[in-house]
Every structure is written in structure tokens, then in C-alpha cells.
Amino acid sequence: MEMTPYKRSIKDYIVVDRQQGLFRLNAEVYKDPYLFDLEMKKIFHEGWVYLAHESQLKVPNDYFTTYIGDTPIILVKTEDERIIGLINRCRHRGALVCRQEKGNSKFFRCPYHGWTYSNYGKLVGIPDKEGYPEHFDIENLGLIRIPKLVNYYGFIFGSLSSKAPEFEDYIGEAGKLLRLIALKFPGGIEVLKGIHKYGMQVNWKLAFENAVDHYHAPFVHESYFEAVGHEPGKRIDLRSKDLSLYLGKGHLVDLMFRDYEVYEIDEKGIPWYLKDNNNLNEIEKKWAAKITFHLGIFPNVIIFDVASPGPTIRVIRPVTVDYTEVYAYYYLPKNAPREYKERELRASLRFYGPAGMGTPDDVEVLKLAMEGYNVKDEKGKYNDLSRGTHRDFKDHEILELVNAEMIGHGTDDTGYRGFYKWWAKVIFNEELSI
Ligand code: FES
Ligand SMILES: [Fe+2]
């Protein structure tokens, strides 16, 4: 007898008609709890996820807690300044051994019965140890160390699976944009203390999509654009030369040309931070002066790179099929002039912050979408992701910066089609021809 009740295939979820230029997604992908379990296993447990930025762990014994999917994790900066990842679960009866978001400690004492672990994970203390047999093997009862952890230009990623692909293979072309974010400011970037956390009654993929959605901005955020002095629909020109890139491996970019004034630039259009920048090569410098982007890294992080509003790292944490937590971290260039920092932080808070003018509107509209997905009508249950199927650009000059697999207009669904193509491959091991 078939053990798993889940016998669906990709055809149940995605309908592609290349001739007609159609790409349709069954909205069950946002509602199906079996699918959610499968995603948790294949995407979050077996793959790589973003965890933190190195500036969140500054000195030895600093720790920072987060999640890989449903699994609580503690990141620790050890005495010898390495960053390690431990599963935040007591080996006695399973309680979280660390309840804080961050701090500095050499030990974690479980709040339940007091078992105590060093910040390397070793079990170092059991209250009333005599109650256990003489050769009780405490050596093997340390916190479990996560098998894969990589610090890539300051961005820390990890995997629960020793069989996960090599990191370079996972990050692919998205690595080039991470490099650009990390190196374009002299002195690098720094994540500020504090997190804005909010919950949304939406599926995690919808929260991810919304963060790289160019098309919605003039409508959902009309009041914001009016308030900051732009006519509705004008601030983001739907017919601008902005791009939607699919980078492969599920990673996508909402890329904007910097045709509005955000930074101090000189008469040649060079921003202050690129003037004496020897970290980047000429091609990187050229593009760093021209573009700003939202980089969506599969499956759980979107980096809003000094757009205005920006710069923000948004981490998506799936909790259940229809509930997602979002963590927003604000970052700034470490050595920027004070006025620059102040202005960028204000811009981020004004839009993304809990009292900002952007985020609450997004949360509201995503809830409406989730409500629409209750419709089970055979025709009416599909979402349309066909925008731009007739105009994927092949030879754009952006290819000198990143070797994008597909390039569309900023408002096109190009990135999403790539995202779901990758999703289908990970979940169903099927190659979608789009
Ligand atoms: S659950 Fe941690 S000491 Fe009992
Ligand atoms: Fe939005």
C-alpha cells in the first residue's frame, strides 16, 4: 500500500501553454497542507536557507537565534571567532535551550530541568547527575551541530542536511549580487540592532513573491507615493526600462535603474561610495552606480539593496501553510556619512517599519489574495503568471554583470516563472519547459 497520501504531480499545479504564452498556477500551492509538509522537507530541511549577517555576531560568545524552516537554530560566534550553528533543542525532553533573540553567553541552560550546554554544544551540566547510570553517555548528548554553514561575503547560510548541494551550486548567479551588496560600500555593511517582526495569514511563497513584485507598487502603495511627493503611478513607471531577472536556482531580481535621485552623485553620475572603491571590478562599479534591486534568494530572504525605501534584509519564516512570520532587519553602510545613514534609515522605516506606509498595505492585500484562493472553481482557481511571456529579452547588457537565465520587463512575471520552475524541480523532480 502507498504510504504517502500525496500523489500529485506538477501538472496538478502548473499549466503551461507555450504557444499561447500562458503560465497558470493553481492557487492550491498556497493552501495545501500536504504540499507545505513536502516543502518543509525538500526545500527547508534538505536545501540551504539564509540565516543571518555576520555583523549580528560581533564578538566571541555572541549568539543569535533563528529558524531553518520549522527548526529552531542558535548561531554562535565561538572563542576562536568561528560561526557555528546548533539546533536549539534540549537533548533531554526537547525544550528550546535558548529563548532570547540574541545575546552573549558561554553557556545555554535549558529552562525546563536545567541541563546546561557550552556554546560549542557540549553537555556540561546535569542537575543531580547521580540519578543516571554510571556510564551514562553525556558525551553524545550535546546540542546537534548543523552540518553545513557558510559565510558568503558576510551573509550566513546553513543547511540541516549533509547531503545538500555545495553552497556555490546553490547560490549560483545570485552570489554575484550578494558580492555587489557587500563590497560596494567602503567598510562593508552592518545590520542594525533590533528586528521588526510581523505575522501574516498568508503562505510563505506569497510573502516572498510580494517582495519582488514591481507591478503592484503604484497601486498598493499609491498613498505612500503621494505622500512622498510623487504623483500616483509616476514614481514607478510601469513602462520604465526596469527589469525582472530570473537568475536560476529559484533566485530572482526586481531590478530598477536609478533614474531618480537617491544618492549624492557627482557630475559623472558616480555615487560617493564608488569613488575610491577598489573592491569591485570595473563592470561591477559601472552597474553599482546605475542600479538598485530587490534580490530574492530562494527560499527565504529578500535583500532590498539601497533602493529608496531600503536597505533592508527581509527573512521569510514559514510557520504553517497559511501563516508566515517576517523578520525585517535594517542595514547600513558602516562608514557612510551620518546624513546618508540617517536618510536611508528614515526611508526604510517610513516604508517597511511597523508604522511605515508600505508594509501594512502589503499585508492587507496579501490577505485578500489568500481569501480569493478559497475559490475551488475549476477555471477560477488559477493565478495568472503570463505577463511578459512574449517579450523575454535575450541580449540585455545586464548579462555582463549576471548571467540571468531569463530577462523580462520589470513588471513581467519572468522572475516568478523561474521561481516556480525551480520549485517544481525541487518538489516534484520535474523539469518544467517554459
Ligand atoms: S528539557 Fe531540557 S533539561 Fe529537561
Ligand atoms: Fe509592496
Side-chain angles (χ1 to χ4, degrees):
M1 206 179 92
E2 177 69 76
M3 288 301 288
T4 160
Y6 205 82
K7 286 197 242 159
R8 297 195 180 169
S9 79
I10 191 58
K11 288 183 198 64
D12 297 306
Y13 293 107
I14 299 177
V15 178
V16 180
D17 182 334
R18 294 185 69 183
Q19 225 151 30
Q20 306 268 343
L22 291 183
F23 190 108
R24 301 238 153 104
L25 184 71
N26 183 341
E28 272 295 288
V29 302
Y30 305 111
K31 300 286 275 190
D32 183 343
Y34 284 128
L35 198 49
F36 182 81
D37 290 348
L38 213 54
E39 290 175 334
M40 202 42 79
K41 177 175 181 298
K42 298 203 169 204
I43 296 174
F44 289 90
H45 293 179
E46 295 175 4
W48 287 89
V49 308
Y50 174 80
L51 296 174
H53 186 263
E54 66 176 6
S55 59
Q56 292 169 296
L57 295 140
K58 281 199 166 57
V59 298
N61 305 316
D62 270 1
Y63 66 84
F64 177 85
T65 55
T66 184
Y67 290 85
I68 297 183
D70 52 8
T71 305
I73 301 292
I74 316 173
L75 294 178
V76 175
K77 187 155 195 160
T78 59
E79 290 283 1
D80 55 352
E81 310 241 339
R82 281 178 310 124
I83 294 174
I84 59 169
L86 303 167
I87 293 185
N88 189 2
R89 181 205 189 277
C90 181
R91 297 295 303 282
H92 179 227
R93 296 279 223 282
L96 301 196
V97 297
C98 179
R99 289 180 287 180
Q100 319 300 327
E101 279 166 359
K102 62 187 170 68
N104 184 281
S105 177
K106 288 186 179 177
F107 301 99
F108 300 110
R109 196 182 75 167
C110 179
Y112 201 172
H113 312 88
W115 282 26
T116 300
Y117 302 85
S118 79
N119 64 2
Y120 284 84
K122 193 170 162 28
L123 178 59
V124 292
I126 297 183
D128 192 25
K129 198 159 160 255
E130 289 65 39
Y132 291 92
E134 195 187 338
H135 298 296
F136 190 61
D137 186 9
I138 78 163
E139 279 303 312
N140 282 313
L141 281 173
L143 299 176
I144 308 282
R145 181 108 37 123
I146 68 169
K148 293 205 174 195
L149 198 89
V150 161
N151 181 344
Y152 188 79
Y153 291 102
F155 297 96
I156 300 162
F157 293 81
S159 177
L160 292 176
S161 169
S162 53
K163 297 198 192 98
E166 290 301 313
F167 178 76
E168 300 287 340
D169 188 35
Y170 153 75
I171 200 71
E173 288 296 299
K176 293 185 182 161
L177 294 182
L178 279 179
R179 189 185 129 84
L180 199 68
I181 295 169
L183 300 184
K184 78 178 179 185
F185 297 109
I189 60 170
E190 184 170 42
V191 172
L192 307 184
K193 285 186 187 145
I195 314 173
H196 280 152
K197 289 186 172 181
Y198 51 95
M200 302 161 118
Q201 286 159 352
V202 308
N203 180 267
W204 67 275
K205 296 187 292 300
L206 206 56
F208 188 100
E209 287 174 38
N210 173 250
V212 279
D213 188 319
H214 203 82
Y215 198 25
H216 82 298
F219 309 104
V220 173
H221 305 304
E222 187 176 355
S223 54
Y224 166 78
F225 291 126
E226 273 179 5
V228 297
H230 299 273
E231 287 168 42
K234 196 165 178 209
R235 175 64 166 67
I236 290 190
D237 177 2
L238 290 182
R239 285 178 299 274
S240 69
K241 53 186 175 155
D242 298 342
L243 299 174
S244 167
L245 307 181
Y246 178 57
L247 302 179
K249 319 275 181 185
H251 313 311
L252 62 160
V253 186
D254 173 8
L255 183 146
M256 287 147 276
F257 283 83
R258 198 171 49 75
D259 53 1
Y260 46 90
E261 187 44 63
V262 181
Y263 325 106
E264 288 81 14
I265 49 173
D266 67 13
E267 59 295 341
K268 288 192 195 125
I270 308 292
W272 61 271
Y273 49 82
L274 289 178
K275 284 210 166 70
D276 300 305
N277 188 325
N278 299 317
N279 298 324
L280 300 178
N281 64 39
E282 288 310 308
I283 289 177
E284 289 171 320
K285 272 198 208 176
K286 169 182 152 189
W287 286 97
K290 275 210 239 208
I291 59 169
T292 179
F293 52 85
H294 298 187
L295 169 63
I297 298 185
F298 190 89
N300 75 324
V301 67
I302 302 94
I303 302 176
F304 300 81
D305 170 72
V306 206
S308 186
T312 302
I313 299 175
R314 186 183 284 181
V315 178
I316 306 286
R317 183 196 159 210
V319 181
T320 63
V321 69
D322 54 8
Y323 188 76
T324 300
E325 279 188 351
V326 178
Y327 304 158
Y329 306 96
Y330 305 100
Y331 70 90
L332 289 170
K334 236 190 258 177
N335 297 337
R338 195 165 153 265
E339 313 77 65
Y340 181 92
K341 287 188 177 184
E342 223 179 272
R343 189 187 54 208
E344 288 299 317
L345 184 58
R346 260 183 226 281
S348 300
L349 298 179
R350 185 172 69 189
F351 192 82
Y352 300 122
M357 296 180 68
T359 298
D361 292 339
D362 284 317
V363 173
E364 176 61 21
V365 86
L366 295 182
K367 246 172 76 185
L368 299 182
M370 282 301 276
E371 215 173 307
Y373 302 158
N374 290 331
V375 173
K376 298 287 186 290
D377 175 84
E378 259 319 298
K379 257 197 202 155
K381 70 185 179 187
Y382 285 93
N383 283 2
D384 186 89
L385 279 69
S386 314
R387 188 175 165 87
T389 44
H390 63 301
R391 57 175 178 184
D392 278 358
F393 310 147
K394 294 279 177 285
D395 290 316
H396 198 281
E397 59 166 334
I398 191 73
L399 289 169
E400 67 181 17
L401 179 69
V402 275
N403 192 16
E405 228 176 272
M406 296 192 286
I407 304 173
H409 182 271
T411 63
D412 289 348
D413 294 326
T414 314
Y416 301 141
R417 288 191 288 274
F419 178 92
Y420 281 102
K421 182 183 151 113
W422 183 253
W423 175 86
K425 189 173 157 63
V426 178
I427 297 294
F428 295 104
N429 203 19
E430 285 184 55
E431 240 7 285
L432 205 62
S433 161
I434 58 172

